[in-house]
Amino acid sequence: GPTITPSQKVYAEGSALNLLRRDHPSPALVNAAQAPSDAKPNPENGTFTLPCNSSPHTDTVLCLRDGSYLVPSEGLGLSSESQMPPGPTPAPTGARSGISSAPTSASPATSPCPAPSYHWFLNGTDTNETESILTVNPTSLDQLGTYKCQAHNSVTGLTARMDIEVEEMLPKPTVMPNQTQVLENGNFTLTCNSSPHTDTLLWLQDGASLAPSDRLGLSPDNRTLTVSGVTRGDAGAYQCEVRNPISTERSEPSNVTVAYGPDSARIDPPGPIDLTLGSLLTLSCVADSVPAPSYRWVLNGTNTNENGTSLTFNPTTLDHQGTYECQAHNPITNRTARASVAVRFV
């Protein structure tokens, strides 16, 4: 080792070590501020302080977070001993005393924020489920409705909530009765059988939506449609349509027929008809009626036993001459319309 002459000063071991450390920079002079073992998480919008314990001979103290230099800001303050980070140089230059400029290795002063506690509710009732994930396999309509997730942070005291609707895929509704015949000026009622979880129920006639009117009434839940003072225009195919946020279904048609007539009848060709004996003649009876009427032909007040819509005959004697009458009868309305024509031979 080197020799010490009498003219040289002799230093104690500790002083010599300190001198060596000033002449030979070493990271060991800087001790990191360690977080207490029982440190609690800092709530958002709270405050925390980190002291940096280092040698009193430090010329420059810089603070870093995740390896990046920090500068004072509205939410970050530095004591008077701390320094601004260097300009464009990515790392600080060495102090004039030769102290090492190696950054302090520090442990985080805060631990990660704790996971929230969870509670699940169904239609306002606690399900006693406390996991972050709730798995539902609905087997009954009681499991449908509003599910609420409630997440609570015991440190911040804050609670977040979110709702989600679990809806039923609606089944196809049915209309009862599926076929109706009603007398003109009468009344009829149709009922839509659908899921109780239906949000919207509409009625349609021949594909067009129906709205309440003086003759058309709906029950409070729209499931029953009543039509009074029925007109011929009320005949058609009726359907109910059900909706909720995830599905729309429409029933099969319920066919409504309106029985009416006949108001009148006519015979083609019109009379009087001049006919030559032996000439073939066909008379047709026309009557507007629902259901289609039954027909009867009468000659001079006597039933001919002909019951079709037309009468064809080949007159060979004068007995075929006279007044032919058509009688059109509706068995539902019990109405009969008559028309007649005179046939004479020339």
Side-chain angles (χ1 to χ4, degrees):
T3 58
I4 301 177
T5 62
S7 61
Q8 292 177 310
K9 295 182 180 181
V10 178
Y11 293 87
E13 182 178 0
S15 297
L17 180 61
N18 284 336
L19 180 62
L20 287 173
R21 284 178 178 172
R22 287 177 60 85
D23 293 342
H24 302 280
S26 170
L29 278 177
V30 182
N31 296 319
Q34 300 294 326
S37 60
D38 61 347
K40 295 182 178 180
N42 288 290
E44 189 177 17
N45 299 319
T47 302
F48 67 87
T49 300
L50 297 177
C52 179
N53 299 320
S54 65
S55 167
H57 296 284
T58 298
D59 291 342
T60 302
V61 176
L62 303 174
C63 292
L64 303 90
R65 183 182 69 181
D66 297 332
S68 299
Y69 294 109
L70 298 174
V71 296
S73 66
E74 182 177 350
L76 187 149
L78 297 174
S79 64
S80 58
E81 296 90 348
S82 300
Q83 303 292 324
M84 293 285 289
T89 309
T93 57
R96 59 179 174 81
S97 58
I99 298 300
S100 170
S101 61
T104 302
S105 59
S107 298
T110 59
S111 61
C113 187
S117 60
Y118 296 93
H119 277 90
W120 289 91
F121 299 83
L122 171 58
N123 298 325
T125 301
D126 195 338
T127 65
N128 296 319
E129 297 289 340
T130 57
E131 299 296 327
S132 61
I133 296 177
L134 176 67
T135 300
V136 180
N137 183 20
T139 57
S140 70
L141 297 180
D142 293 339
Q143 293 172 281
L144 303 177
T146 302
Y147 283 83
K148 181 191 294 290
C149 170
Q150 182 173 288
H152 177 72
N153 188 319
S154 60
V155 175
T156 65
L158 298 177
T159 300
R161 299 173 179 85
M162 175 168 283
D163 294 349
I164 185 170
E165 294 291 332
V166 178
E167 302 279 357
E168 175 190 15
M169 289 292 292
L170 295 174
K172 194 181 189 72
T174 59
V175 175
M176 295 297 294
N178 60 7
Q179 189 168 353
T180 301
Q181 186 175 77
V182 60
L183 287 172
E184 187 175 21
N185 299 316
N187 306 317
F188 70 86
T189 297
L190 300 177
T191 300
C192 181
N193 298 317
S194 66
S195 166
H197 292 276
T198 297
D199 291 340
T200 303
L201 193 152
L202 304 173
W203 285 94
L204 305 97
Q205 179 190 5
D206 298 329
S209 296
L210 294 175
S213 66
D214 293 340
R215 296 191 307 105
L216 189 152
L218 295 172
S219 62
D221 59 4
N222 280 15
R223 294 178 186 273
T224 301
L225 169 70
T226 300
V227 180
S228 58
V230 171
T231 67
R232 299 176 189 184
D234 292 324
Y238 286 78
Q239 295 171 282
C240 68
E241 182 176 284
V242 294
R243 300 176 183 174
N244 68 9
I246 61 172
S247 59
T248 298
E249 290 291 340
R250 186 176 292 187
S251 71
E252 293 297 326
S254 173
N255 295 310
V256 174
T257 58
V258 177
Y260 65 88
D263 298 325
S264 62
R266 77 174 190 272
I267 294 178
D268 291 329
I273 300 174
D274 292 332
L275 189 66
T276 303
L277 285 174
S279 299
L280 191 67
L281 176 65
T282 298
L283 300 176
S284 296
C285 187
V286 179
D288 184 16
S289 175
V290 174
S294 60
Y295 295 92
R296 187 172 69 160
W297 291 91
V298 176
L299 171 60
N300 298 324
T302 301
N303 188 4
T304 65
N305 296 320
E306 295 290 340
N307 299 315
T309 59
S310 63
L311 172 66
T312 300
F313 61 95
N314 185 2
T316 57
T317 67
L318 294 178
D319 293 338
H320 292 99
Q321 181 176 259
T323 300
Y324 286 81
E325 181 181 81
C326 163
Q327 298 176 357
H329 177 73
N330 186 327
I332 302 301
T333 65
N334 201 32
R335 298 183 65 176
T336 301
R338 293 173 172 84
S340 60
V341 62
V343 177
R344 60 191 179 189
F345 296 145
V346 295

